[in-house]
């Protein structure tokens, strides 16, 4: 990543973490950057209208320009426009958290999240990469979407550290499970990454990219309806891959 771009993003992420206005010296200390470098970035953001200063020689804070731009961008996001209604319906049917991810090789990154209304629910931060590949249904789905040769190489390169007592630790076992899941159409993580949590994932292709839809919830709620969730995921993914196809998930 370009150093200039990364530094600018670091500034906005710092404001998000701190949740308050920050002085030049506070930014310099937090980001471990020279005051002169921080001043240059702040000056550029001020001139572009993304920050304001609370008063002379005072702290800085992002203004609403960034929120307005982000809102317009999200409203026209082609994936959001295609997926939001169906994923909200999927969340409403099962009242479990639903995620949309984009596969990135043998991994994936979170794009959308629709949380369950239940106090006991699964969370993930939008923009984050998948925490593990071998122990998650989304990771298995990303692997399953790869051509066989690439999949074998990706599995062989995995560091299959156990996250729970149920985590698959053998490359051969993982490969066999993914093969079976490809044939079935959906992928399962039964308490392999987090104790008491079960997730189910399926994939769809759009614009030459692979996307992953995941339903995640406590095992005691997910286990009795795994087949229902899997079939509903397949219907949603078929609808997202072929928008003209009718989708019935309720």
């Amino acid at each position: 990543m370009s150093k200039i771009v990364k530094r600018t993003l670091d500034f906005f992420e710092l404001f998000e973490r701190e949740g308050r206005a920050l002085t030049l010296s506070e930014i310099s200390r937090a980001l471990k950057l020279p005051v002169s470098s921080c001043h240059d970035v702040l000056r550029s953001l001020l001139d572009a209208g993304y920050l304001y200063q609370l008063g002379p020689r005072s702290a800085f804070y992002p203004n609403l320009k960034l929120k307005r731009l982000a809102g317009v961008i999200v409203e026209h996001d082609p994936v959001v426009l295609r997926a939001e209604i169906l994923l909200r319906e999927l969340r409403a049917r099962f009242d479990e958290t639903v995620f949309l991810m984009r596969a990135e090789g043998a991994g994936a990154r979170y794009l959308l999240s629709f949380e369950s209304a239940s106090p006991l629910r699964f969370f993930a931060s939008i923009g984050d990469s998948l925490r593990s590949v071998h122990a998650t249904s989304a990771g298995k789905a990303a692997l399953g979407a790869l051509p066989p040769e690439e999949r074998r190489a990706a599995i062989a390169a995995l560091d299959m550290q156990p996250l729970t007592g149920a985590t698959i630790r053998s490359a051969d076992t993982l490969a066999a499970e993914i093969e079976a899941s490809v044939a079935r159409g959906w992928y399962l993580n039964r308490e392999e990454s987090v104790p008491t949590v079960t997730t189910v994932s399926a994939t769809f292709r759009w614009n030459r990219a692979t996307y992953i839809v995941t339903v995640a919830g406590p095992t005691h709620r997910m286990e009795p309806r795994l087949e229902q969730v899997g079939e509903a995921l397949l219907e949603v993914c078929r609808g997202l891959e072929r928008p003209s196809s009718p989708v019935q998930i309720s």
Side-chain angles (χ1 to χ4, degrees):
M1 182 186 292
S2 161
K3 183 182 293 186
I4 294 173
V5 172
K6 184 179 186 308
R7 187 165 291 176
T8 304
L9 294 175
D10 287 343
F11 271 59
F12 285 118
E13 289 177 357
L14 176 63
F15 282 113
E16 188 272 334
R17 288 197 304 273
E18 295 293 328
R20 62 184 179 88
L22 298 168
T23 65
L24 174 59
S25 59
E26 287 175 325
I27 295 170
S28 174
R29 285 195 300 272
L31 297 180
K32 298 181 173 59
L33 292 172
V35 169
S36 58
S37 298
C38 291
H39 180 269
D40 290 345
V41 176
L42 286 171
R43 186 74 263 165
S44 296
L45 292 173
L46 282 167
D47 291 344
Y50 287 96
L51 298 181
Y52 72 100
Q53 196 167 12
L54 275 63
R57 301 179 182 277
S58 186
F60 301 85
Y61 199 72
N63 60 30
L64 293 179
K65 181 177 181 179
L66 185 63
K67 180 179 179 180
R68 180 179 62 79
L69 290 178
V72 173
I73 291 169
V74 169
E75 285 176 3
H76 295 89
D77 184 315
V79 177
V80 171
L81 290 173
R82 288 169 57 81
E84 184 171 6
I85 293 175
L86 286 178
L87 298 190
R88 286 188 183 279
E89 289 176 354
L90 188 62
R91 189 271 312 274
R93 175 179 177 183
F94 296 106
D95 194 19
E96 302 294 357
T97 301
V98 176
F99 298 110
L100 175 68
M101 285 165 270
R102 186 186 186 280
E104 298 179 345
R109 190 175 297 274
Y110 291 93
L111 297 179
L112 283 173
S113 172
F114 301 102
E115 293 174 4
S116 165
S118 170
L120 187 59
R121 58 187 184 268
F122 192 75
F123 295 93
S125 297
I126 302 307
D128 280 0
S129 295
L130 195 63
R131 187 168 66 94
S132 64
V133 174
H134 66 294
T136 59
S137 61
K140 294 173 187 176
L143 289 168
L146 295 175
E149 286 297 324
E150 290 183 32
R151 185 191 309 156
R152 282 192 285 271
I155 291 174
L158 290 175
D159 179 15
M160 298 180 63
Q161 291 295 318
L163 303 178
T164 72
T167 304
I168 294 175
R169 306 183 191 190
S170 160
D172 289 341
T173 302
L174 179 62
E177 178 174 325
I178 291 172
E179 287 289 341
S181 299
V182 170
R184 179 178 57 195
W186 49 271
Y187 302 78
L188 176 64
N189 154 27
R190 186 185 275 116
E191 302 188 352
E192 296 169 47
S193 59
V194 178
T196 76
V197 172
T198 290
T199 69
V200 181
S201 297
T203 64
F204 67 93
R205 293 280 296 174
W206 183 62
N207 202 26
R208 294 181 294 177
T210 297
Y211 293 86
I212 303 166
V213 181
T214 297
V215 177
T219 298
H220 72 271
R221 295 202 306 249
M222 292 285 288
E223 188 68 37
R225 49 188 183 173
L226 286 179
E227 294 291 336
Q228 289 176 275
V229 173
E231 288 303 314
L233 275 171
L234 291 178
E235 286 296 321
V236 167
C237 287
R238 281 193 287 265
L240 289 169
E241 198 161 67
R242 299 191 298 274
S244 59
S245 302
V247 179
Q248 180 66 44
I249 62 172
S250 60

